[in-house]
Amino acid sequence: GNSLLNRYNSVSWDTLYTSLEYMRSLSVSEEKLVIIKANTVCTFNSKLKKIKEFNSMYAQHALYDKEGNLWLASSIEGLLLNNAQTFKTVILPNGPSDNFVFDIMNNNETMLIARGGYSFTGDNAYLRANVYEFCNESWKSLSTTNNNSLESLRDVVCFASNSKNTYYAGTWGWGLIEVTNGVVSRVYNNSNTNGVLDGFVSGCTFDNDGNL
């Protein structure tokens, strides 16, 4: 519905604008007012004279910097830059190739992201097994490094490590993956653990004696 923009000058209140349809955000930066309403971004100077107005369907919030650049947060496009030279520059920081995250572990300054899952009833998500690694401001994918070695596996859900170079990734139904220096070195399952491991690993850790 419609929104009002009200002002208080330490003495009294008044209404500056009416019929601001579906106003999402109101912000002040560098003595400029930015209003985001419906699919439109409006900016005003300190005397409330309109500077610019343009369409941005998914903009959620915006701020000016000291150089006069307008930075916008978009729910779909990422980070947007608007200035006198360009109407819109889309800035997409490097990141994983998807949003399927079930578990996170820090392993000696490398963040590990588990791509997998299961429901509260124990049903598989059936996501192709993968681990995303973030180190030195850069992302890489375990499946890319190991070609087809993860092709038949699904649902990585947990991690454990007691070594800088080796970690273990548990899967929900496909055993335990051993990764050494970024390469899959072994997959433990029912066939190579004397029938002990049934394939469903929801958690794993090391004890004080180094046993997994």
Side-chain angles (χ1 to χ4, degrees), residues 155-204:
D155 293 330
V156 176
V157 296
C158 62
F159 296 111
S161 178
N162 66 349
S163 166
K164 180 178 181 180
N165 299 321
T166 301
Y167 66 84
Y168 295 84
T171 72
W172 191 243
W174 280 265
L176 184 71
I177 305 169
E178 180 185 73
V179 181
T180 304
N181 294 320
V183 177
V184 175
S185 49
R186 186 176 298 182
V187 177
Y188 295 97
N189 51 41
N190 184 271
S191 65
N192 58 5
T193 59
N194 297 321
V196 173
L197 196 63
D198 65 0
F200 292 89
V201 183
S202 62
C204 50

Side-chain angles (χ1 to χ4, degrees), residues 5 22 108 112 114 117 125 132 152 163 193:
L5 178 59
Y22 299 106
N108 291 288
L112 305 176
Y132 302 121
S152 63
S163 166
T193 59

Side-chain angles (χ1 to χ4, degrees), residues 10-210:
S10 299
V11 177
S12 61
W13 288 87
D14 64 344
T15 299
L16 294 177
Y17 299 103
T18 60
S19 301
L20 294 175
E21 184 179 4
Y22 299 106
M23 187 165 69
R24 295 176 181 169
S25 173
L26 178 71
S27 63
V28 175
S29 53
E30 300 301 321
E31 298 187 349
K32 296 180 180 68
L33 171 67
V34 183
I35 297 174
I36 299 177
K37 59 186 181 75
N39 302 322
T40 306
V41 178
C42 302
T43 67
F44 303 82
N45 62 20
S46 59
K47 295 183 179 181
L48 297 179
K49 182 179 179 180
K50 186 180 291 186
I51 302 172
K52 66 172 72 175
E53 180 176 334
F54 59 91
N55 291 331
S56 185
M57 184 173 295
Y58 302 107
Q60 302 296 316
H61 194 70
L63 293 171
Y64 275 97
D65 63 20
K66 293 181 179 180
E67 285 71 42
N69 300 305
L70 182 62
W71 297 90
L72 301 100
S74 169
S75 60
I76 298 294
E77 296 180 287
L79 181 65
L80 308 180
L81 172 63
N82 173 272
N83 56 29
Q85 288 72 44
T86 178
F87 171 69
K88 181 175 71 174
T89 300
V90 179
I91 301 171
L92 294 174
N94 186 23
S97 58
D98 58 50
N99 298 324
F100 298 110
V101 177
F102 196 81
D103 193 29
I104 300 176
M105 186 185 78
N106 180 36
N107 183 38
N108 291 288
E109 299 183 354
T110 296
M111 182 169 65
L112 305 176
I113 307 292
R115 185 184 193 271
Y118 51 81
S119 69
F120 70 95
T121 59
D123 295 325
N124 282 84
Y126 292 107
L127 296 171
R128 179 179 174 181
N130 203 354
V131 176
Y132 302 121
E133 301 180 1
F134 182 64
C135 183
N136 296 323
E137 300 301 317
S138 178
W139 290 89
K140 68 178 182 179
S141 169
L142 186 62
S143 64
T144 301
T145 306
N146 291 270
N147 297 319
N148 296 322
S149 60
L150 299 176
E151 183 69 33
S152 63
L153 308 181
R154 299 291 183 271
D155 293 330
V156 176
V157 296
C158 62
F159 296 111
S161 178
N162 66 349
S163 166
K164 180 178 181 180
N165 299 321
T166 301
Y167 66 84
Y168 295 84
T171 72
W172 191 243
W174 280 265
L176 184 71
I177 305 169
E178 180 185 73
V179 181
T180 304
N181 294 320
V183 177
V184 175
S185 49
R186 186 176 298 182
V187 177
Y188 295 97
N189 51 41
N190 184 271
S191 65
N192 58 5
T193 59
N194 297 321
V196 173
L197 196 63
D198 65 0
F200 292 89
V201 183
S202 62
C204 50
T205 190
F206 284 87
D207 64 19
N208 292 334
D209 296 322

